[in-house]
Amino acid sequence: MTLRDALAYGADRLRHNPDLRAEAARDARLLLLHALQISRAALIADPDRALTPGQKAAYDALLQRRLANEPIQYITGEQEFYGLALHVTPAVLIPRPETEHLVEAVLAEMKQTKLNGPQPKRGALRILDVGTGSGAIAIALAHHLPHARITAVDLSTTAIEVAASNAARHGLSDRIQFVASDLLGAPAADELGFDAPGSPASGLGSLGWDAIVCNPPYVPTADRDSLHPQVRDHEPAAALFAGPDGLDIYRRLVPQALAALLPGGLLALEIGHGQREAIAAMLADWNELRFVEDLRQIPRIALARRP
Ligand SMILES: C[S@@+](CC[C@H](N)C(=O)[O-])C[C@H]1O[C@@H](n2cnc3c(N)ncnc32)[C@H](O)[C@@H]1O
């Protein structure tokens, strides 16, 4: 079988799963490249090259995983976010394009308020990324805000390991610090290392962040069955679900952020479909509350400044 034949054969196999029909040709190509560890350019340059039996077997094994709805990103171990290549495993949510709006909005706010720059009086801009997963948000912010120092927390220590490896991959380990924590709750500041704000004994929740950014789990538990099997059966439940109405994390995080942000500090949250009103109520006493819509005109990001 040649590479060209393998593409057609793979796409054909994937079309047996109705959920995969639309992207069958693209997925077959990605899986073939991954199985053979070759580039797209190599595929285009030599489409008549024959697969060895070992390569064919490796390709078949990947097709089988994809047919069982395993996300392509977990199979290849890669996802691009905000132009940066990230390693992903089943321990972390696959970063979504919607979340790029969150990064975009935070970068714009940081520029607008002239916070992005050396602050002679108190050092670098300090940002907390809550529920960092693959590290997507923390890494994109650190990459684009060269004077920021970021602390990224997650309840999952396995996620933290993935995020830390992604930070290292992009040469950002010296400006992003990873901490296992239940929201802003767990660690004491003396465990935090380089520049956690606040007094030594008060931990992440002490006053001092310029911005707190969070894409939390926000799917109502009752919506579990309506999720695509690719999401429901493969992505970590702790990254998806947040109580009966999906708002559990916001309810805990908003008061913690109020206590921990500097006056005028930014809270930036990704929110789920239909959650705008509930979030607006939680942030009613905050300043400059506004929502950013995604490409489908769904309010997706909430931004507010601490009073
Ligand atoms: C929706 S995912 C977002 C991951 C990543 N920030 C992104 O945007 O791709 C939510 C993350 O929050 C973490 N998480 C859930 N509950 C948490 C909690 N109570 N404290 C800290 N992290 C939590 C999950 O482990 C998961 O990695």
Side-chain angles (χ1 to χ4, degrees):
M1 181 182 277
T2 65
L3 296 180
R4 194 199 310 273
D5 296 339
L7 287 177
Y9 155 83
D12 227 39
R13 276 196 66 186
L14 294 180
R15 283 192 196 99
H16 284 104
N17 178 339
D19 288 331
L20 303 180
R21 265 180 208 146
E23 304 288 355
R26 183 208 63 166
D27 286 1
R29 189 185 69 241
L30 290 172
L31 295 177
L32 184 64
L33 298 180
H34 188 64
L36 273 62
Q37 290 293 300
I38 58 170
S39 67
R40 196 171 172 185
L43 174 66
I44 293 167
D46 194 8
D48 295 320
R49 176 178 136 192
L51 270 71
T52 66
Q55 288 172 333
K56 168 76 169 37
Y59 182 43
D60 272 328
L62 300 189
L63 288 169
Q64 201 50 46
R65 286 170 65 183
R66 186 68 187 120
L67 274 167
N69 279 319
E70 186 170 346
I72 194 99
Q73 295 91 337
Y74 289 155
I75 301 175
T76 63
E78 289 287 319
Q79 170 66 24
E80 193 181 284
F81 180 79
Y82 217 77
L84 298 163
L86 297 178
H87 177 54
V88 291
T89 75
V92 301
L93 187 96
I94 298 162
R96 305 289 204 270
E98 295 92 284
T99 307
E100 296 182 336
H101 293 291
L102 179 58
V103 171
E104 187 112 328
V106 172
L107 291 177
E109 291 278 328
M110 294 290 109
K111 272 193 194 140
Q112 190 196 333
T113 51
K114 297 193 175 21
L115 280 172
N116 178 26
Q119 313 256 315
K121 281 199 184 126
R122 56 172 182 77
L125 180 65
R126 288 182 288 202
I127 300 174
L128 179 63
D129 173 25
V130 180
T132 196
S134 63
I137 297 170
I139 289 166
L141 291 176
H143 181 81
H144 288 278
L145 296 169
H147 302 294
R149 289 194 166 238
I150 298 182
T151 298
V153 306
D154 206 290
L155 204 50
S156 156
T157 49
T158 341
I160 295 265
E161 282 166 20
V162 174
S165 77
N166 279 321
R169 176 176 183 175
H170 291 287
L172 296 168
S173 301
D174 58 335
R175 289 194 294 115
I176 310 178
Q177 169 201 36
F178 294 95
V179 180
S181 174
D182 178 4
L183 303 184
L184 280 65
D190 53 6
E191 291 167 26
L192 290 177
F194 59 74
D195 75 335
S199 65
S202 47
L204 294 168
S206 57
L207 188 74
W209 301 101
D210 294 292
I212 296 178
V213 182
C214 181
N215 172 22
Y218 53 65
V219 180
T221 35
D223 289 0
R224 189 179 184 284
D225 290 343
S226 62
L227 291 183
H228 194 290
Q230 179 168 308
V231 176
R232 186 190 60 216
D233 300 339
H234 294 277
E235 297 201 76
L240 298 173
F241 303 109
D245 58 4
L247 298 168
D248 278 9
I249 296 286
Y250 304 110
R251 283 195 192 93
R252 293 176 55 216
L253 178 64
V254 169
Q256 290 186 3
L258 185 66
L261 280 166
L262 288 168
L266 175 73
L267 177 62
L269 304 170
E270 180 167 324
I271 65 170
H273 196 184
Q275 293 177 335
R276 184 187 195 278
E277 297 318 315
I279 300 293
M282 284 182 214
L283 296 171
D285 296 334
W286 290 57
N287 294 332
E288 298 174 44
L289 173 63
R290 70 184 181 93
F291 292 87
V292 177
E293 293 181 348
D294 65 17
L295 298 176
R296 292 182 296 154
Q297 264 81 55
I298 294 169
R300 183 59 68 185
I301 311 299
L303 299 163
R305 296 259 173 197
R306 183 189 187 270

